[in-house]
Amino acid sequence: MTNKILYVLGIAALAILVWNIYTIARLPEETRQGEVFKIIFFHVPMAITAMIAAAVALIASVGFLLTKNFKFDALAVAVTEVGLAFLAGNLVTGSIWGREIWGIWWAWDARLTSALVCWLLYAGYLMLRRAIEEPTQRATFAAVFSIFAFIDVPIVIFSIKWWRTQHPQPVFWAGGSFPPDWTKHFLWNMLAMALLGAVMIAVRLRQEESQRELDSLRRMAHAL
Amino acid sequence: MQLTQLPMLLAQVTVEDLEREKIFLQHNYEYLSWGLTAAWIILVVYVLMMIGRQNRLKREISSLRAMLEEKK
């Protein structure tokens, strides 16, 4: 992807997000929860982006183990890091919503706990990568760890179905209702978050290429 | 709801109820602002971290290249 395309996509994503904050602020408040309900417009798209990133990391990790192609490893680390940032946003916005609606910052229910475990697992993935020097060994161990970490993703998604949780049931796939014009804003925000995530991943992928170049230059410097 | 029912409904609402509702709405809006600010801050911090890493990589690559050129 060229720089120009990345800039255009990034600016488009930011423009949609800024415009959406303006339009969301003008929407009427939710009957029971009031204004704070509108956190959903950021909380859920951030979660979906993070879960998509985790799925891509899984595919890339399997791809690396099958082919030993380092491009898959670079993709895995890029999507994991970006997904981690989005999941952090999801956890923090959820906690702020919980403080207002539940009166507590955190509850150890299945959804919240599994999401936190997911964040810790992927943070562990990044720490593992820092701990191993040799590139092939690092990529292999990280790929296996990433596949293992993905086990938590379906638990995060379906925990609200499998167990009785304090976290609300989903609005979209459990018979909940959302006014059509609210859905429109939600989908725009979803698109903007996904676009922003894609731009970040593309930039991060380039950094991985630069890191590989740096590693090879270091090896050459040692050899001389 | 019929219009004649409105005065009866209003008669049941005390000044304290209205005050409580007002405080709840203000509080509510405050938390929404905190939530949105937190989401933005996390993304901006991550972007700044990426920019920092990009600059470090560029600097290290160019210094190593210069060193290799010198040695050659």
Side-chain angles (χ1 to χ4, degrees):
Chain A
M1 231 186 274
T2 63
N3 276 341
K4 222 178 240 178
I5 297 173
L6 278 180
Y7 279 127
V8 169
L9 287 179
I11 289 166
L14 288 176
I16 296 170
L17 282 174
V18 171
W19 168 72
N20 240 8
I21 287 178
Y22 172 70
T23 50
I24 287 165
R26 288 160 62 101
L27 286 175
E29 62 200 46
E30 207 264 347
T31 322
R32 287 183 190 170
Q33 298 181 18
E35 290 283 346
V36 80
F37 177 79
K38 293 174 186 172
I39 278 185
I40 198 174
F41 288 102
F42 282 79
H43 175 71
V44 178
M46 281 182 133
I48 294 173
T49 310
M51 295 299 120
I52 292 170
V56 177
L58 171 79
I59 295 165
S61 299
V62 172
F64 175 78
L65 290 178
L66 292 176
T67 63
K68 296 287 172 194
N69 186 337
F70 276 90
K71 280 189 178 168
F72 284 116
D73 179 56
L75 178 63
V77 67
V79 290
T80 301
E81 206 181 278
V82 172
L84 203 66
F86 277 91
L87 193 56
N90 166 261
L91 286 169
V92 171
T93 51
S95 181
I96 291 169
W97 175 86
R99 179 69 185 84
E100 176 64 357
I101 299 300
W102 298 336
I104 43 172
W105 291 104
W106 187 262
W108 292 104
D109 87 334
R111 167 57 79 84
L112 275 73
T113 309
S114 58
L116 179 66
V117 168
C118 190
W119 192 89
L120 290 171
L121 279 168
Y122 284 109
Y125 168 90
L126 295 176
M127 284 161 74
L128 175 75
R129 293 186 69 91
R130 279 173 175 261
I132 304 170
E133 283 278 317
E134 207 280 309
T136 311
Q137 200 180 31
R138 178 175 59 209
T140 309
F141 279 24
V144 172
F145 189 89
S146 179
I147 294 166
F148 165 73
F150 188 79
I151 294 169
D152 191 43
V153 172
I155 298 174
V156 176
I157 296 169
F158 295 109
S159 55
I160 44 176
K161 288 267 181 196
W162 293 341
W163 298 288
R164 187 188 292 178
T165 57
Q166 188 158 348
H167 186 282
Q169 288 295 302
V171 174
F172 292 102
W173 46 286
S177 62
F178 215 50
D181 53 331
W182 286 47
T183 309
K184 186 182 78 184
H185 291 300
F186 178 86
L187 292 175
W188 272 112
N189 248 25
M190 186 61 245
L191 174 75
M193 289 283 178
L195 214 56
L196 199 63
V199 172
M200 285 174 172
I201 290 164
V203 173
R204 189 64 189 81
L205 260 175
R206 282 188 180 181
Q207 290 182 347
E208 273 302 299
E209 280 170 20
S210 301
Q211 185 64 52
R212 275 210 303 277
E213 189 187 342
L214 183 66
D215 288 343
S216 67
L217 284 172
R218 276 185 186 147
R219 278 196 295 275
M220 279 166 71
H222 277 296
L224 280 177
Chain B
M1 186 179 64
Q2 287 179 350
L3 202 63
T4 49
Q5 288 175 320
L6 195 66
M8 284 170 70
L9 234 161
L10 282 174
Q12 291 170 9
V13 180
T14 62
V15 179
E16 286 81 33
D17 288 338
L18 289 173
E19 198 58 39
R20 206 180 305 124
E21 183 67 13
K22 198 178 119 190
I23 291 167
F24 170 73
L25 287 176
Q26 280 172 350
H27 209 232
N28 212 283
Y29 194 78
E30 211 174 278
Y31 274 88
L32 172 69
S33 313
W34 280 116
L36 297 189
T37 310
W40 276 94
I41 285 175
I42 287 168
L43 293 180
V44 168
V45 166
Y46 181 61
V47 168
L48 290 176
M49 278 167 64
M50 282 213 292
I51 291 169
R53 188 191 286 140
Q54 185 72 32
N55 291 339
R56 181 184 57 81
L57 281 168
K58 266 186 189 169
R59 213 174 36 242
E60 284 187 30
I61 286 172
S62 59
S63 71
L64 264 172
R65 273 200 184 132
M67 196 185 87
L68 283 169
E69 285 293 316
E70 232 173 68
K71 278 193 177 177
K72 275 178 188 172

